[in-house]
Amino acid sequence: MSYTAPVKDMLFNMAHLAQLDGLTHDVPAFADHGLDTAQAVLEECAKLTEQVIAPLNWEGDKNPSSWHEGGIVKTTPGFKEAFRQYVEGGWQGLVHPADFGGQGFPKVIAAACQEMVNSANLSFALCPLLTDGAIEALLTAGSDELKSRYIPKMIDGSWTGSMNLTEPQAGSDLSLVRTRAEPQGDGTYKVFGTKIFITYGEHDMAENIVHLVLARVPGAPAGVKGISLFVVPKVLVNADGSLGARNDVHCVSIEHKLGIKASPTAVLQFGDHGGAIGYLVGDENRGLEYMFIMMNAARYGVGVQGLALAERAYQQAVGYARDRVQSRPVDGSLPGAAPIIHHPDVRRMLMTMRALTEGCRAMATMAAGAYDRGHAQGDAAQQALYEFLVPLVKGYSTEISHEVTSLGVQVHGGMGFIEETGAAQHYRDAKILTIYEGTTAIQANDLVGRKTLRDGGQFARGLATLVEATEAELAQGSTAAHAVRANLSHARQAYEAVVDYLAATGKGNLNAVFAGSVPYLMLAGNLVAGWCLARGLLAAEKAIAAGEDLAFMQAKVTTARFYAEHILPRTAALRDAVLNGAESALALPLEAF
Amino acid sequence: MSYTAPVKDMLFNMAHLAQLDGLTHDVPAFADHGLDTAQAVLEECAKLTEQVIAPLNWEGDKNPSSWHEGGIVKTTPGFKEAFRQYVEGGWQGLVHPADFGGQGFPKVIAAACQEMVNSANLSFALCPLLTDGAIEALLTAGSDELKSRYIPKMIDGSWTGSMNLTEPQAGSDLSLVRTRAEPQGDGTYKVFGTKIFITYGEHDMAENIVHLVLARVPGAPAGVKGISLFVVPKVLVNADGSLGARNDVHCVSIEHKLGIKASPTAVLQFGDHGGAIGYLVGDENRGLEYMFIMMNAARYGVGVQGLALAERAYQQAVGYARDRVQSRPVDGSLPGAAPIIHHPDVRRMLMTMRALTEGCRAMATMAAGAYDRGHAQGDAAQQALYEFLVPLVKGYSTEISHEVTSLGVQVHGGMGFIEETGAAQHYRDAKILTIYEGTTAIQANDLVGRKTLRDGGQFARGLATLVEATEAELAQGSTAAHAVRANLSHARQAYEAVVDYLAATGKGNLNAVFAGSVPYLMLAGNLVAGWCLARGLLAAEKAIAAGEDLAFMQAKVTTARFYAEHILPRTAALRDAVLNGAESALALPLEAF
């Protein structure tokens, strides 16, 4: 159940899908963050994640975080010390500004580190992920005072962050938020309400927790336009930055979950003893807007979790398939029973796991590169690309994490069903990924609404043009490149047909559009991941021609081809479901279900 | 978390896919087992499963069976009493011969009851399933003495059965079985060895357990041709049928599993205290052949488990989607937040769950009808059809149970991830179904080897001809029928292309054939389930024309159309994976994984 960080594949993607060296050349702030730096950072992160954080993964499943009298939550033994090492290594501040103690790295490097932490231990990784989101929101909308008071402490790991959106009646639909915040006349508010599903809403790994909380002020408009964002610290912070009294926010229970058991999922009561003191972030009634900043960072991060978990499941399955001896190869190539990795269907399963994982990693790396260019250079086209890709990274990578972790169990046969083997944990952990930070349907709504219909499908069609350009390059290439080209071309055409259909249907029949939104997301994610692997194939073939790193580069070619031949063809069914399937999806009367 | 047996759909399938009334007309032994009888039996079974067995499902997950000092296994509170009611109702003997206390029902009726028990409580249902298999093996290969001594007690529920195949080194590959049986000169044997993964290998629901055990006699040939089958009762049986001394077989532990937690999965030690007394079933060295009899019944049964679990997950998701209020409908058809069943993507998910479940039920019912005709009438074509369908029923229905139970969690959103909701249990339970009684790859080996290549693809092509006949009928029908026809025709052509490819490739490149075996299985299962729904559509449209049961029949039409438009198109990708994908599936060198 050990883990080895795929540093080489990460660097390959940074070089060829995010053009990291170009970024460091173009952006002065990233001048010191080229491939050499990336390699050094990744190797350092690999050590920490492989040696310290990964060994705690199964331990956390066996000994989850636990709730105790007085609202205390104890995390899995070892987590606190590992978190100490994580923050002392400066990892929490990797992407954040140097002004607040961060290191100001580009996202493309930070995302690779994020993948490692998540592969090592998804439950552990959630704490830094949520803190990152809280920092991001304060950076964007917080006053200078809020920033200077909270961000340095979150970056140095003294305090962590949490996101408080969900209430029992308000999940995907935040317009139903009821938590209220009453102004006290001194610039502070008193917050009252119940928040559920709060990841690391209570724990013992840091001395304070900075809760970012959605609530309504008196007289706020109904719906999402009447929601404000507040900082509600677990422990109040004195003017000199020292810790003061305990605030009126308490963890009344934690959930008993299918997976990510080491990560406490808290029910938090705000204001049961007079009111929790809160500080407004930005302007009243603009909370949802700010929350979406956190959310977009977190959505990308959850997409990375999907591929991170897929990577871990893949590595574990490969290990088992090398060791487990069972049956003679069908072609008689060995005299007796062989390790099951010799059997064609096991190979097919492992290649499926590998291709999906590498495809999603390549897509996420391209997206991170677009983010960096968008933010650091103000490149609007790259920013738009990033925003288009976020629902794909989140939606597609997490959906495929179900498939990959399920195959991981399958490769183990009966042993996979035994918890001690550890394969089942990944399968259980993966299930939350398509749900939290917006379900796959919510991602698809974003993709189809804001990212596709708003400009009549123009940006979406532009992406297809980029894919076509890659097809033209592939047409000049090897046999493998030709095989990839044919499949990529069919998939791209399927995507275009769907974009055209959605753009044409969006005005008249919103039900039909939204019945096809998830198949559209899966199609687009499938295509873009396959496209990224195809671009990788072109780079790998150049490297092969130059005699560089042949084994690695040949594997990139084979994996890209496998993806093209086994995964890209799935786009045809998704196209058909969108183009022809809305009527039958919606026809059954409610009472007939 | 309640369960309502889908009696109407079951009867519809019996009438139109198994032609039950024709069967009762043609087979004197089934003269009393027509649709009216079926309805009465199903309604009785529905009562027991809905009221007694289903309420114990979640209880069994919370309070699994447990191992205690002395090798005692206690089942979940309530299981023993429920099992008593099950056997007293005569359900264990439903398909078995009247000579031994059974009721001699056709499989087509028994399979519907089996589905209900499995929907109600998969862990509970495993006990009768294994007993059925043991009875089947004894009926086929046991001496008259073994039959009369053991079968009546298993039918009346005093004793249960177990199947002992797997050993630590011998899972899918039974040639590696090491358990040995030494003849004692008095006709009995002493059995020594370790068996693992023995479902209900120890429990407290009956006074004895009839273990059927694979072992080798001295001098047996190596491999699968040297395996014999033995009865090894937990408690020895005296000449007068009363119970005697405890036999030397002991449960040393039970597994800690991902799912089906209430069903004990035992490690059994045979012969640690001098030897477990065993009785040879049939001839020495023919054990695997006999075991396959049990296994085929059990494989069909596991396929039924897949669709049964899918049905339960579907019902639970529908219930939640009706209750949970969240967000206004996208088309503005309601003024405020609505139950989520109004949202198009939730509808798409529920329809996917429904269509897959009904498709697999229809296929399983057709298979059971073929079995009944094959067995009772000696109809070789129907027997061959049944044998072709078994790997599809097992392989496809269990693979789709992953998809359906995963969607079941997804419909619940965050609540689905909380164990108390119950949706996650189905997701966990489902994962074993693609593994036990032969993994999906093992089913695919059977399909491609014995059922397809052995006759050069002739039978497989014949099945396509039957589908074509249905296409011709659909071409005469409604708009829905036309939509189904087009998709069915594409899927059938994809299937034919794959069968032709496999038949042509089978001689030269077995690796390529077996790299495509699972995609072939999924394609064939998808097609046959869709074909069965299409035949159901034709029957439903006739009923609609006659003004019969309009709401139900219209729902059958809509569901068949949904399947055709959303599920059948998946066959194109499976075809491509088989036809083009073998090289890339097998190309990566072992050291590159």
Side-chain angles (χ1 to χ4, degrees), chain B residues 7 17 47 55 76 98 102 119 130 158 187 221 223 263 276 355 370 379 381 433 463 480 489 516 518 529 549 565:
Chain B
V7 172
L17 290 163
K47 269 188 225 161
T76 302
S119 286
L130 271 297
S158 307
S263 117
D379 182 330
L433 302 181
L463 195 62
S489 177
V518 168
D549 207 355
E565 291 177 340

Side-chain angles (χ1 to χ4, degrees), chain B residues 98-428:
Chain B
D99 307 356
F100 298 102
Q103 305 201 47
F105 269 68
K107 187 179 184 84
V108 71
I109 296 177
C113 297
Q114 196 173 26
E115 181 193 322
M116 291 185 202
V117 185
N118 277 296
S119 286
N121 194 325
L122 189 62
S123 285
F124 177 90
L126 278 163
C127 189
L129 179 77
L130 271 297
T131 304
D132 275 339
I135 292 171
E136 203 80 40
L138 287 177
L139 280 172
T140 313
S143 64
D144 286 347
E145 197 197 329
L146 283 178
K147 285 186 207 172
S148 62
R149 177 162 294 190
Y150 291 99
I151 297 177
K153 289 288 195 177
M154 288 200 274
I155 285 179
D156 77 13
S158 307
W159 307 345
T160 67
S162 84
M163 284 168 66
N164 294 248
L165 289 73
T166 305
E167 299 177 11
Q169 77 295 344
S172 296
D173 185 359
L174 290 170
S175 72
L176 303 175
V177 159
R178 283 186 204 143
T179 295
R180 60 185 217 282
E182 295 177 357
Q184 299 301 297
D186 62 352
T188 69
Y189 291 74
K190 282 198 169 175
V191 176
F192 303 88
T194 302
K195 293 288 181 178
I196 64 168
F197 295 164
I198 309 309
T199 302
Y200 280 97
E202 182 56 54
H203 63 84
D204 58 1
M205 283 159 41
E207 59 189 11
N208 201 4
I209 302 173
V210 183
H211 302 298
L212 284 166
V213 182
L214 291 185
R216 294 184 184 283
V217 297
V224 295
K225 289 182 178 156
I227 297 173
S228 305
L229 181 63
F230 297 87
V231 164
V232 182
K234 172 182 165 184
V235 183
L236 294 168
V237 181
N238 297 322
D240 65 355
S242 63
L243 292 180
R246 186 73 164 74
N247 204 353
D248 184 12
V249 46
H250 297 279
C251 173
V252 294
S253 64
I254 62 174
E255 306 291 352
H256 171 222
K257 306 191 299 293
L258 173 61
I260 54 165
K261 295 187 183 188
S263 117
T265 302
V267 177
L268 293 182
Q269 278 301 129
F270 292 84
D272 275 6
H273 307 283
I277 295 174
Y279 308 93
L280 182 68
V281 179
D283 300 327
E284 285 187 350
N285 299 329
R286 290 181 63 192
L288 204 74
E289 181 187 320
Y290 308 144
M291 196 53 107
F292 261 101
I293 295 158
M294 286 168 65
M295 192 96 95
N296 265 327
R299 284 178 175 180
Y300 178 89
V302 173
V304 170
Q305 294 188 321
L307 72 99
L309 204 50
E311 173 68 33
R312 184 78 186 261
Y314 167 74
Q315 290 190 17
Q316 187 163 352
V318 168
Y320 187 80
R322 285 192 200 287
D323 287 348
R324 171 72 171 170
V325 171
Q326 204 77 177
S327 300
R328 196 175 171 206
V330 286
D331 64 358
S333 57
L334 290 169
I340 61 171
I341 198 166
H342 286 274
H343 301 318
D345 189 64
V346 173
R347 295 290 274 274
R348 186 192 60 81
M349 290 194 278
L350 295 176
M351 285 302 296
T352 303
M353 298 172 78
R354 179 187 178 99
L356 289 170
T357 306
E358 288 192 11
C360 286
R361 178 180 297 124
M363 175 165 69
T365 310
M366 178 176 74
Y371 174 93
D372 287 327
R373 283 193 169 71
H375 275 62
Q377 298 181 280
D379 182 330
Q382 289 290 310
Q383 178 61 26
L385 176 61
Y386 175 71
E387 285 177 8
F388 189 87
L389 292 174
V390 166
L392 305 188
V393 170
K394 202 294 186 178
Y396 185 67
S397 308
T398 61
E399 288 287 339
I400 71 96
S401 78
H402 295 177
E403 178 174 355
V404 174
T405 56
S406 179
L407 287 170
V409 175
Q410 193 70 19
V411 168
H412 285 79
M415 287 306 297
F417 203 66
I418 307 301
E419 286 288 5
E420 285 74 6
T421 306
Q425 184 188 351
H426 307 315
Y427 179 71
R428 290 187 284 98

Side-chain angles (χ1 to χ4, degrees), chain A residues 486-541:
Chain A
N487 287 292
L488 190 62
S489 177
H490 287 140
R492 186 254 310 155
Q493 289 165 37
Y495 166 83
E496 288 175 322
V498 164
V499 171
D500 288 346
Y501 167 87
L502 293 172
T505 312
K507 291 183 184 94
N509 188 349
L510 279 177
N511 281 332
V513 165
F514 285 94
S517 60
V518 168
Y520 169 46
L521 180 148
M522 293 302 290
L523 195 173
N526 186 327
L527 171 69
V528 173
W531 172 48
C532 289
L533 289 181
R535 289 172 58 198
L537 176 146
L538 290 167
E541 291 197 333

Side-chain angles (χ1 to χ4, degrees), chain A residues 262-339:
Chain A
S263 120
T265 303
V267 177
L268 294 182
Q269 277 302 130
F270 292 84
D272 274 8
H273 308 284
I277 295 174
Y279 309 93
L280 182 68
V281 178
D283 300 328
E284 285 188 351
N285 300 329
R286 290 180 63 189
L288 204 73
E289 181 188 320
Y290 307 144
M291 197 52 107
F292 261 101
I293 295 158
M294 286 168 64
M295 193 95 94
N296 265 328
R299 283 178 176 180
Y300 178 88
V302 174
V304 171
Q305 295 188 322
L307 72 98
L309 204 50
E311 173 67 33
R312 184 79 186 260
Y314 167 74
Q315 291 190 16
Q316 187 163 352
V318 168
Y320 187 80
R322 285 193 201 285
D323 286 348
R324 171 70 171 171
V325 171
Q326 203 77 176
S327 299
R328 197 176 168 202
V330 285
D331 64 359
S333 57
L334 290 169

Side-chain angles (χ1 to χ4, degrees), chain A residues 54-110:
Chain A
L56 293 169
N57 190 45
W58 168 235
E59 187 59 30
D61 198 68
K62 270 187 307 186
N63 297 310
S65 52
S66 53
W67 186 93
H68 302 268
E69 206 59 50
I72 291 166
V73 171
K74 293 186 183 161
T75 52
T76 302
F79 268 45
K80 190 171 176 173
E81 170 53 24
F83 183 67
R84 205 41 48 209
Q85 291 190 46
Y86 178 84
V87 294
E88 281 170 5
W91 300 105
Q92 185 73 61
L94 204 59
V95 277
H96 300 302
D99 307 355
F100 299 102
Q103 307 200 46
F105 269 68
K107 188 179 183 83
V108 71
I109 295 177

Side-chain angles (χ1 to χ4, degrees), chain A residues 58 167-173 176 197 255-260 314 318 322 324-328 330-331 337 341-342 344-345 347-348 350-351 354 399 402 406-407 409-410 413-415 417-420 424 427-429 431-432 434-435 439-441 487 510-511 514-515 517-519 555 558-559 561-562 565-566 569-570 572-573 576-577 580-593, chain B residues 58 167-173 176 197 255-260 314 318 322 324-328 330-331 337 341-342 344-345 347-348 350-351 354 399 402 406-407 409-410 413-415 417-420 424 427-429 431-432 434-435 439-441 487 510-511 514-515 517-519 555 558-559 561-562 565-566 569-570 572-573 576-577 580-593:
Chain A
W58 168 235
E167 300 178 9
Q169 78 294 344
S172 296
D173 186 0
L176 303 175
F197 296 164
E255 305 291 353
H256 171 222
K257 307 191 298 292
L258 173 60
I260 52 164
Y314 167 74
V318 168
R322 285 193 201 285
R324 171 70 171 171
V325 171
Q326 203 77 176
S327 299
R328 197 176 168 202
V330 285
D331 64 359
I341 198 168
H342 286 275
D345 189 64
R347 296 288 275 275
R348 186 191 59 80
L350 294 176
M351 285 302 297
R354 178 186 180 99
E399 288 287 340
H402 296 177
S406 179
L407 286 171
V409 176
Q410 192 71 19
M415 286 308 296
F417 202 66
I418 308 301
E419 286 288 5
E420 283 74 7
Y427 179 71
R428 289 188 284 98
D429 285 353
K431 196 69 200 82
I432 193 60
T434 58
I435 297 172
T439 64
T440 304
N487 287 292
L510 279 177
N511 281 332
F514 285 94
S517 60
V518 168
T558 300
T559 305
R561 182 171 181 175
F562 181 91
E565 291 177 340
H566 289 254
R570 296 178 183 179
D576 291 355
N580 312 321
E583 193 182 327
S584 61
L586 302 169
L588 204 71
L590 288 190
E591 62 278 11
F593 278 92
Chain B
W58 168 235
E167 299 177 11
Q169 77 295 344
S172 296
D173 185 359
L176 303 175
F197 295 164
E255 306 291 352
H256 171 222
K257 306 191 299 293
L258 173 61
I260 54 165
Y314 167 74
V318 168
R322 285 192 200 287
R324 171 72 171 170
V325 171
Q326 204 77 177
S327 300
R328 196 175 171 206
V330 286
D331 64 358
I341 198 166
H342 286 274
D345 189 64
R347 295 290 274 274
R348 186 192 60 81
L350 295 176
M351 285 302 296
R354 179 187 178 99
E399 288 287 339
H402 295 177
S406 179
L407 287 170
V409 175
Q410 193 70 19
M415 287 306 297
F417 203 66
I418 307 301
E419 286 288 5
E420 285 74 6
Y427 179 71
R428 290 187 284 98
D429 286 353
K431 196 69 200 82
I432 193 59
T434 58
I435 296 172
T439 64
T440 304
N487 287 292
L510 279 176
N511 281 331
F514 285 95
S517 59
V518 168
T558 299
T559 305
R561 183 172 180 174
F562 181 92
E565 291 177 340
H566 290 253
R570 298 177 183 180
D576 292 356
N580 312 323
E583 194 183 326
S584 61
L586 301 170
L588 203 71
L590 287 191
E591 61 279 11
F593 277 94

